[in-house]
């Protein structure tokens, strides 16, 4: 993994400061260049110099230093340079602020979900209570030899209203809100700085730190394919193959022609399938042990029961064999 000079859709520009000056004039004679440099060092600015100062100059210079260190294999120094680039990047919110905002948002959503669940349970209990009351009333009417036709029609209308209300509630619950981060004035650049620092963390065997920086970069640039793959590698290092597969699939969805993403999806899908199969076997083994511990009180075991699947319907039939398992 190499540091990024640009996001997935554009190029980067590195600004170098010479002699402490913030503005470089390309076509000047020796006397003018000397005067300009002297004025800049002493804090004086030529009245004729109206060139704007690049607000990302410090960040880009630190990124360039970080890129050089990264290519030389000095990942600790590169990490520090990219951190300097992040700290010098103007604008809000910062990466740490974005993580906090997302955490607060997700906590609020969890509370809303719990509240919706409680309201749904209360609504269902009230619905059941009303239905029980209607049944009791109809029974009383029959005992008194009164017709229940009108009551039945009313009951049907009420049930239709209840079903409509339930459908609306279920539809709202099935569409959870997602966090939408506020726009950063230099989001694409800041995403690169965090992505590059994430690459350092991966080389330094700090996968959790890599995941955090990648997450920030993705919030700043949701189409950053390289970062999804980088975070997938970090998740894999943390043995979180399910999350790794999700990131690889998103990367492939964004860029279907990306060969690395396609390879990662195929490899991680195989790993995830093997993990789920192993988990299934472990779960079935524990259930079998539990069943045998209970059946053992009756001198039986699960070996006394045979499950045979019907190929046409897919259903199972269970037969009992008294002598199975006894030798």
């Amino acid at each position: 993994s190499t540091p990024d000079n640009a996001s997935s859709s554009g190029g980067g520009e590195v600004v170098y400061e010479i002699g402490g000056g913030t503005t470089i004039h390309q076509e000047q004679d020796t006397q003018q260049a000397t005067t300009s440099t002297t004025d800049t060092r002493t804090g004086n600015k030529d009245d004729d110099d109206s060139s704007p100062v690049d607000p990302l100059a410090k960040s880009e210079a630190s990124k360039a230093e970080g890129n050089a260190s990264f290519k030389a294999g000095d990942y600790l120094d590169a990490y520090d340079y990219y951190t300097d680039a992040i700290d010098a990047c103007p604008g809000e919110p910062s990466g740490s602020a974005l993580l906090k905002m997302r955490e607060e948002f997700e906590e609020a959503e969890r509370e809303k979900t719990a509240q919706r669940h409680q309201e749904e349970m209360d609504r269902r209990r009230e619905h059941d209570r009303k239905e029980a009351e209607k049944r009791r009333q109809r029974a009383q009417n029959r005992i008194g030899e009164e017709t229940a036709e009108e009551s039945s029609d009313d009951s049907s209308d009420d049930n239709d209203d209840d079903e409509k209300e339930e459908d609306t509630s279920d539809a709202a619950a099935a569409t959870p809100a997602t966090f939408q981060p506020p726009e950063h004035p230099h989001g694409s650049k800041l995403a690169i700085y965090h992505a590059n620092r994430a690459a350092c963390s991966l080389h330094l065997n700090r996968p959790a730190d890599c995941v955090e920086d990648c997450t920030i970069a993705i919030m700043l640039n949701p189409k950053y394919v390289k970062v999804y793959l980088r975070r997938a590698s970090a998740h894999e290092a943390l043995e979180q193959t399910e999350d790794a597969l999700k990131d690889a699939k998103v990367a492939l969805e964004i860029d279907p022609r990306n060969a690395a993403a396609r390879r990662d999806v195929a490899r991680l899908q195989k790993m995830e399938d093997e993990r789920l199969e192993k988990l299934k076997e472990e779960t079935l083994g524990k259930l079998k042990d539990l069943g045998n511990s209970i059946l053992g009180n009756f001198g039986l075991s699960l070996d006394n029961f045979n499950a045979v699947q019907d190929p046409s319907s897919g259903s199972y039939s269970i037969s009992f064999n008294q002598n199975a398992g006894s030798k």
Side-chain angles (χ1 to χ4, degrees):
S1 181
T2 58
D4 301 334
N5 288 317
S7 66
S8 59
S9 61
E13 181 182 1
V14 179
V15 177
Y16 297 93
E17 299 192 10
I18 300 177
T22 58
T23 303
I24 302 173
H25 297 280
Q26 299 296 336
E27 297 181 358
Q28 293 179 320
D29 57 29
T30 305
Q31 182 177 358
Q32 288 175 324
T34 304
T35 303
S36 176
T37 304
T38 304
D39 289 343
T40 305
R41 289 176 176 173
T42 57
N44 298 326
K45 188 174 181 180
D46 193 335
D47 293 339
D48 294 335
D49 186 5
S50 58
S51 300
V53 177
D54 184 359
L56 292 173
K58 290 183 178 180
S59 293
E60 287 293 286
S62 295
K63 186 194 78 171
E65 294 284 356
N67 289 352
S69 296
F70 189 96
K71 291 176 182 177
D74 298 329
Y75 302 120
L76 278 174
D77 286 346
Y79 184 97
D80 290 339
Y81 280 123
Y82 293 136
T83 300
D84 291 341
I86 292 169
D87 293 341
C89 185
E92 295 291 340
S94 64
S96 58
L98 279 175
L99 289 176
K100 184 177 181 181
M101 291 167 64
R102 190 188 67 162
E103 181 180 351
E104 292 174 349
F105 173 86
E106 291 177 347
E107 177 62 27
E109 285 301 307
R110 284 191 291 269
E111 293 177 357
K112 290 179 182 178
T113 300
Q115 182 179 356
R116 285 195 298 266
H117 178 71
Q118 184 61 48
E119 291 174 352
E120 176 65 13
M121 293 296 293
D122 293 342
R123 191 193 67 78
R124 289 178 181 271
R125 280 194 291 267
E126 180 64 16
H127 175 270
D128 292 342
R129 186 191 66 77
K130 290 180 179 179
E131 286 299 305
E133 178 64 23
K134 290 173 184 177
R135 289 191 296 269
R136 185 185 65 82
Q137 186 63 44
R138 287 196 296 268
Q140 289 179 348
N141 290 341
R142 284 194 297 271
I143 292 173
E145 297 181 350
E146 296 178 4
T147 179
E149 182 178 356
E150 182 178 353
S151 175
S152 177
D153 291 340
D154 293 341
S155 176
S156 296
D157 293 339
D158 290 341
N159 285 339
D160 289 342
D161 291 339
D162 289 338
E163 289 174 359
K164 290 178 182 179
E165 180 182 353
E166 181 177 351
D167 290 342
T168 301
S169 176
D170 291 343
T175 311
T178 56
F179 175 64
Q180 299 295 332
E183 186 176 354
H184 192 284
H186 306 289
S188 60
K189 291 291 187 181
L190 186 57
I192 292 173
Y193 308 150
H194 279 284
N196 287 1
R197 191 169 70 172
C200 295
S201 295
L202 202 57
H203 280 278
L204 293 169
N205 196 26
R206 301 175 184 171
D209 291 342
C210 178
V211 168
E212 183 174 293
D213 269 322
C214 286
T215 300
I216 294 171
I218 288 170
M219 284 193 286
L220 293 166
N221 182 2
K223 300 294 185 181
Y224 209 157
V225 172
K226 183 182 289 187
V227 177
Y228 281 106
L229 295 177
R230 191 166 293 161
R231 190 170 67 173
S233 297
H235 279 309
E236 184 178 355
L238 293 168
E239 298 184 353
Q240 299 168 346
T241 54
E242 183 179 2
D243 291 331
L245 180 58
K246 287 179 181 178
D247 279 341
K249 285 183 175 179
V250 173
L252 186 59
E253 182 180 348
I254 296 172
D255 184 5
R257 296 183 178 181
N258 192 297
R262 190 178 299 106
R263 287 194 300 269
D264 283 354
V265 168
R267 179 176 57 81
L268 290 168
Q269 185 67 66
K270 182 180 179 180
M271 291 177 60
E272 181 64 6
D273 291 343
E274 291 174 352
R275 183 187 72 85
L276 291 176
E277 184 63 27
K278 182 179 179 181
L279 180 62
K280 176 183 174 182
E281 292 176 358
E282 291 176 352
T283 302
L284 290 176
K286 291 178 181 179
L287 290 175
K288 185 176 181 179
D289 291 342
L290 177 61
N292 285 334
S293 67
I294 297 174
L295 292 173
N297 297 324
F298 306 95
L300 299 173
S301 74
L302 288 176
D303 292 333
N304 294 109
F305 300 88
N306 296 322
V308 179
Q309 186 178 21
D310 185 345
S312 60
S313 64
S315 61
Y316 286 85
S317 61
I318 299 177
S319 60
F320 176 72
N321 185 352
Q322 177 68 47
N323 299 322
S326 59
K327 297 180 180 179

